[in-house]
Amino acid sequence: MKVFESLCKLVSTAHATSPSPFNPLSLLPGLFTLTPLTSIAQRTVRRGTSLLDPLVLAPGLHLQSTATDLHKGEYPACAALTSGYVFRVENPATVYFLQRVGRTGCLTDLKVSAQASSPSRFLPTLDDALASLGYYAAAGCTVVAAQKGYALNDIWGLFFISNLIFIRLVNFLVLRRRSRPGWFGAPEPGVQGDLFILLSQDRWVRIRGPVDDLKALTSGTWLCEPTTLETFFGAVAKLLVYANMAVAGLATDAGVCTIVAMLLVNSGLLAVENLRIRSLSMYGRTMEAVGEPKRYFRRRDLAEQLIRESGRDDWAVAMGLIVKDRASTGKSEGVTLTM
């Protein structure tokens, strides 16, 4: 009992000497920052990293490194209609993009092409810049919030924002190091390719373009495995996100409201930006949709059309689209197709 009484007296004394009572409002910046939204990770998958990344602060910023998991472990079957080979799409970023543009019961046509040249690896092309206006607005919102904190003379509010910028900078540098071009297979300059991909939920995608560009976007991996040093800095960045919650409790009410407003506005801007993006940019190549998805009442109709266009059916046999006693390299009579 004496120990309990001593503990109660200690808590009462600490509460009496506290400069101000607990303010629940101070929890909002930390809670909003830790909200598990994937807007930043989605943007990273489709556009890669950008020099503006450290200035774009939004809920879920600590989940940027999970961008490689957004495809939910799916590696769909893929057939080369020109050669008959069947393999899998191994690039997680490409699989996620195909999942987003694909529609159940529809064939979505995509094309792959080389991007317009950029003056620097770190600077976007003109097309990317025009498609990223919402991202630039989010960076501007962060600058305005920091300026507002300075005008309020809110040191702890400024420290909270600065800490988030530092966290984003660490993630930016780590992801830059991990996004080095990897294995693409043997080069085949001047050869055009035509790929057919079977996704889950009966989503079908056809991609056409130069074979070397197709290999760059479908083979290998988008981010290489992190080294020990990269893993260490990634862990430090995540720990700083949680430690930042204590700093928010020292900010003024006006500073807290400014931070919360910045996070909400930036979250909305990123969500709208992700909905607008209809292309994938990676390794100097762009993959984008051509026209609207074409609906088919039966998978048999789709298989028959692609067999006629490609002039061979061995790829369809390997993918399980048709059942036949013996595969051939051309169309033949009496082919039985699976639903």
Side-chain angles (χ1 to χ4, degrees), residues 89-125:
V89 180
E90 299 289 346
N91 193 316
T94 301
V95 174
Y96 174 72
F97 176 72
L98 297 179
Q99 290 172 339
R100 293 298 301 267
V101 300
R103 297 290 181 270
T104 299
C106 297
L107 176 65
T108 304
D109 282 307
L110 304 177
K111 69 174 183 179
V112 174
S113 59
Q115 282 182 326
S117 60
S118 174
S120 170
R121 177 173 179 258
F122 295 94
L123 297 178
T125 63

Side-chain angles (χ1 to χ4, degrees), residues 185-308:
E188 300 181 47
V191 180
Q192 293 295 313
D194 191 351
L195 302 181
F196 174 68
I197 301 172
L198 282 177
L199 288 162
S200 60
Q201 302 175 13
D202 284 323
R203 292 170 291 186
W204 312 309
V205 178
R206 188 177 185 181
I207 312 175
R208 283 173 277 196
V211 170
D212 287 341
D213 294 341
L214 292 174
K215 286 183 176 181
L217 294 180
T218 59
S219 60
T221 183
W222 166 51
L223 293 178
C224 61
E225 291 297 319
T227 63
T228 302
L229 186 62
E230 292 166 353
T231 302
F232 170 77
F233 281 109
V236 169
K238 285 187 177 181
L239 289 175
L240 287 177
V241 175
Y242 290 91
N244 218 25
M245 293 185 64
V247 177
L250 302 174
T252 63
D253 288 347
V256 168
C257 292
T258 300
I259 295 172
V260 169
M262 174 196 69
L263 293 174
L264 287 176
V265 172
N266 285 355
S267 178
L269 289 172
L270 283 178
V272 173
E273 186 73 13
N274 288 333
L275 290 176
R276 290 179 58 250
I277 294 177
R278 294 283 296 171
S279 63
L280 172 71
S281 299
M282 187 187 308
Y283 300 138
R285 283 93 169 178
T286 299
M287 180 186 295
E288 56 186 349
V290 179
E292 295 296 324
K294 182 179 179 181
R295 177 169 293 277
Y296 289 85
F297 292 103
R298 293 184 299 181
R299 185 160 44 178
R300 183 176 67 186
D301 298 336
L302 169 64
E304 288 177 341
Q305 175 185 330
L306 294 180
I307 289 174
R308 285 194 300 268

Side-chain angles (χ1 to χ4, degrees), residues 5-39:
E5 291 176 358
S6 301
L7 183 60
C8 290
K9 184 181 294 185
L10 180 62
V11 173
S12 300
T13 304
H15 181 74
T17 57
S18 178
S20 59
F22 171 72
N23 183 10
L25 188 65
S26 64
L27 294 176
L28 292 181
L31 293 177
F32 274 58
T33 303
L34 294 174
T35 303
L37 300 181
T38 59
S39 300

Side-chain angles (χ1 to χ4, degrees), residues 27-145:
L27 294 176
L28 292 181
L31 293 177
F32 274 58
T33 303
L34 294 174
T35 303
L37 300 181
T38 59
S39 300
I40 289 180
Q42 292 178 31
R43 161 78 192 195
T44 303
V45 168
R46 298 186 182 185
R47 289 294 186 225
T49 54
S50 167
L51 285 176
L52 288 179
D53 281 0
L55 292 179
V56 179
L57 309 179
L61 58 86
H62 60 298
L63 300 178
Q64 185 176 13
S65 60
T66 64
T68 54
D69 300 327
L70 292 178
H71 69 302
K72 300 178 181 178
E74 180 178 6
Y75 295 97
C78 175
L81 302 186
T82 54
S83 63
Y85 287 109
V86 176
F87 48 94
R88 293 189 179 276
V89 180
E90 299 289 346
N91 193 316
T94 301
V95 174
Y96 174 72
F97 176 72
L98 297 179
Q99 290 172 339
R100 293 298 301 267
V101 300
R103 297 290 181 270
T104 299
C106 297
L107 176 65
T108 304
D109 282 307
L110 304 177
K111 69 174 183 179
V112 174
S113 59
Q115 282 182 326
S117 60
S118 174
S120 170
R121 177 173 179 258
F122 295 94
L123 297 178
T125 63
L126 178 60
D127 292 339
D128 284 343
L130 294 177
S132 304
L133 296 180
Y135 202 68
Y136 301 150
C141 183
T142 300
V143 175
V144 171

